[in-house]
Amino acid sequence: MTQRLRLNKNADRRLKAGHLWIYSNEVDIKETPLKNFAAGEPVLVEASNGKTLGVAYVNPHSLICGRIMSRDPEMRLDRSLFVHRFNQALALRQRLFDQPFYRLIHGEGDLLPGLVIDRFGDVLVVQLNTAGMQALAEDIVDALEKVVKPSAIVFRNDTGGRRQEGLEAHVEVVKGTLPDEVLLVENGVTFAVPVLNGQKTGWFYDHRVNRAWLNSQVAGKRVLDVFSYVGGWGVQAAASGASEVLCVDASGAALEQVARNAELNGVQEQVAIGEGDAFEALAALKADGEQFDVVILDPPAFIKKRKDIPNGERAYSRLNREAMRLLGRDGLLLSASCSMHLAPDRLVDVVRGAVRHQDRQGQVIFQGHQGPDHPVHPAIPETSYLKALGVRVFRD
């Protein structure tokens, strides 16, 4: 018998508008005490008047204590639900892309809160970010085998979100055997990705469209790629005709992968690497009198929580100022942020402030966001997180 989770009066408004999250302070704990539920348990969610709103899974230990999986109270959280949702998601990706390299499941954006799956051809990398999804791991694997028939499935269960859910971190190949090198193709450029020990799932598909735009701007240019990771931006720039590319990252392992990816595309002569802290590297390049036509800033999230906003905005401002000092008289800055808590207009403010600080002029000529394989749920602003600005920076 499925337990019921009753909400406080008026706490159903967000859910009725389409949102999928239930916060712990929205639960009527007199009627349905949270301590009565196990982490990951399926429940029927009901409004304060007893009307059923849908099926969710709960975690009594988390601020977001419930996530809606279906509006149909008869729906069971099992393999058949995942088969249905995976087929829906796959149909969209096959419409968007002619090769099997994309984010297959984008959590709430694909109505599967807590689940992320990236596809690298026949290899799937899965993140189970919540207790509810962890409880359904076997059904998820079974459904993927039915819908996608992959040769290998990797669990990258080492995310920060899992810690907040009280889950252990572990990385394992749960089906099949990984090839020696997992490859993908993005914008016509081939990459080897470290799916077992790289960042997140090993790759960031979300910037695909933004990289495609930048690729059209770099022919014959000298390019600096800061926070390069495995070369998603820099190697594509070299393959798109950049005369020289310098990739800077704090991770030696990531830079080894940059070199490998440059070699895979025959652009190793154009691509150089530099290991070190981004801010220190920018200062050192300035001290050495270096100049670039294009600078790419794609840092990790400086703002992870709302309380980080003031410090995070200061870090973005400093980073953009330092980068602009390395641009020639008429340069191009690609400034990105994956911080959900940094509003798009605030990134414009950061860039505007940096331009004025350098006593230059700026023109925003491109505004990008996450690609269509990271669909935004219209009721959940949190699913829209990525921003990218192409800014011409020049002396008047």
Side-chain angles (χ1 to χ4, degrees), residues 205-230:
Y205 281 123
D206 49 5
H207 269 305
R208 179 195 325 245
V209 178
N210 305 325
R211 291 188 190 116
W213 176 78
L214 190 73
N215 293 347
S216 70
Q217 305 295 311
V218 297
K221 300 283 199 283
R222 189 163 194 246
V223 176
L224 173 63
D225 178 9
V226 189
F227 305 100
S228 70
Y229 184 43
V230 297

Side-chain angles (χ1 to χ4, degrees), residues 285-300:
L285 288 165
K286 181 64 183 170
D288 290 344
E290 296 283 0
Q291 258 192 10
F292 297 87
D293 304 302
V294 179
V295 177
I296 301 155
L297 299 177
D298 184 16

Side-chain angles (χ1 to χ4, degrees), residues 14 64 93 191 232 238 268 292 310 318 321 338-339 355 369 381:
R14 241 176 346 96
I64 302 172
R93 276 67 179 181
F191 290 89
Q268 60 269 39
F292 297 87
R318 182 180 160 215
R321 285 200 305 270
C338 61
S339 294
V355 167
H369 40 84

Side-chain angles (χ1 to χ4, degrees), residues 64-285:
I64 302 172
C65 71
R67 298 175 201 248
I68 299 279
M69 288 284 280
S70 175
R71 303 283 169 176
D72 177 1
E74 301 298 315
M75 182 64 73
R76 293 169 61 87
L77 304 191
D78 60 13
R79 175 180 177 271
S80 61
L81 172 62
F82 285 109
V83 167
H84 170 62
R85 292 276 161 81
F86 292 164
N87 276 318
Q88 281 181 321
L90 184 62
L92 173 64
R93 276 67 179 181
Q94 289 178 333
R95 214 158 66 207
L96 294 168
F97 306 110
D98 56 6
Q99 290 178 294
F101 307 111
Y102 41 68
R103 173 149 293 183
L104 175 62
I105 298 295
H106 183 55
E108 284 79 355
D110 285 297
L111 306 180
L112 289 169
L115 181 65
V116 168
I117 304 175
D118 279 349
R119 182 174 188 182
F120 306 100
D122 291 333
V123 174
L124 299 177
V125 182
V126 178
Q127 292 180 320
L128 308 170
N129 292 322
T130 56
M133 285 300 174
Q134 181 66 55
L136 295 161
E138 284 184 26
D139 289 323
I140 290 167
V141 170
D142 288 351
L144 287 173
E145 293 199 270
K146 179 171 172 60
V147 175
V148 184
K149 302 177 183 65
S151 62
I153 298 175
V154 177
F155 277 2
R156 276 300 299 268
N157 290 334
D158 54 354
T159 62
R162 281 179 66 88
R163 282 196 297 278
Q164 291 166 3
E165 289 270 314
L167 298 169
E168 288 183 5
H170 63 101
V171 176
E172 60 179 317
V173 181
V174 293
K175 178 195 181 292
T177 307
L178 275 183
D180 291 340
E181 219 171 29
V182 177
L183 299 176
L184 69 93
V185 179
E186 182 181 284
N187 299 325
V189 183
T190 302
F191 290 89
V193 287
V195 297
L196 290 176
N197 52 14
Q199 293 179 25
K200 304 289 175 120
T201 64
W203 183 254
F204 297 91
Y205 281 123
D206 49 5
H207 269 305
R208 179 195 325 245
V209 178
N210 305 325
R211 291 188 190 116
W213 176 78
L214 190 73
N215 293 347
S216 70
Q217 305 295 311
V218 297
K221 300 283 199 283
R222 189 163 194 246
V223 176
L224 173 63
D225 178 9
V226 189
F227 305 100
S228 70
Y229 184 43
V230 297
W233 294 92
V235 173
Q236 286 192 40
S240 301
S243 58
E244 282 178 66
V245 177
L246 174 59
C247 289
V248 172
D249 201 274
S251 162
L255 291 171
E256 284 176 25
Q257 206 77 41
V258 170
R260 172 64 185 139
N261 287 326
E263 185 190 332
L264 275 172
N265 294 281
V267 293
Q268 60 269 39
E269 297 301 313
Q270 289 124 275
V271 177
I273 57 176
E275 185 177 343
D277 169 82
F279 290 98
E280 291 172 9
L282 290 170
L285 288 165

Side-chain angles (χ1 to χ4, degrees), residues 213-214 217 221 292-295 320 323-324 327-335 348 351-352 354-356 358-367 388-396:
W213 176 78
L214 190 73
Q217 305 295 311
K221 300 283 199 283
F292 297 87
D293 304 302
V294 179
V295 177
N320 279 269
M324 280 182 197
L327 286 170
R329 286 193 66 81
D330 189 350
L332 179 64
L333 176 73
L334 189 293
S335 184
V348 174
V351 167
R352 175 187 53 75
V355 167
R356 294 313 305 140
Q358 301 301 328
D359 198 23
R360 297 197 192 189
Q361 301 295 333
Q363 294 171 318
V364 177
I365 57 174
F366 173 79
Q367 297 187 59
L389 295 177
V391 187
R392 181 192 186 202
V393 180
F394 62 104
R395 298 192 187 281
D396 188 12

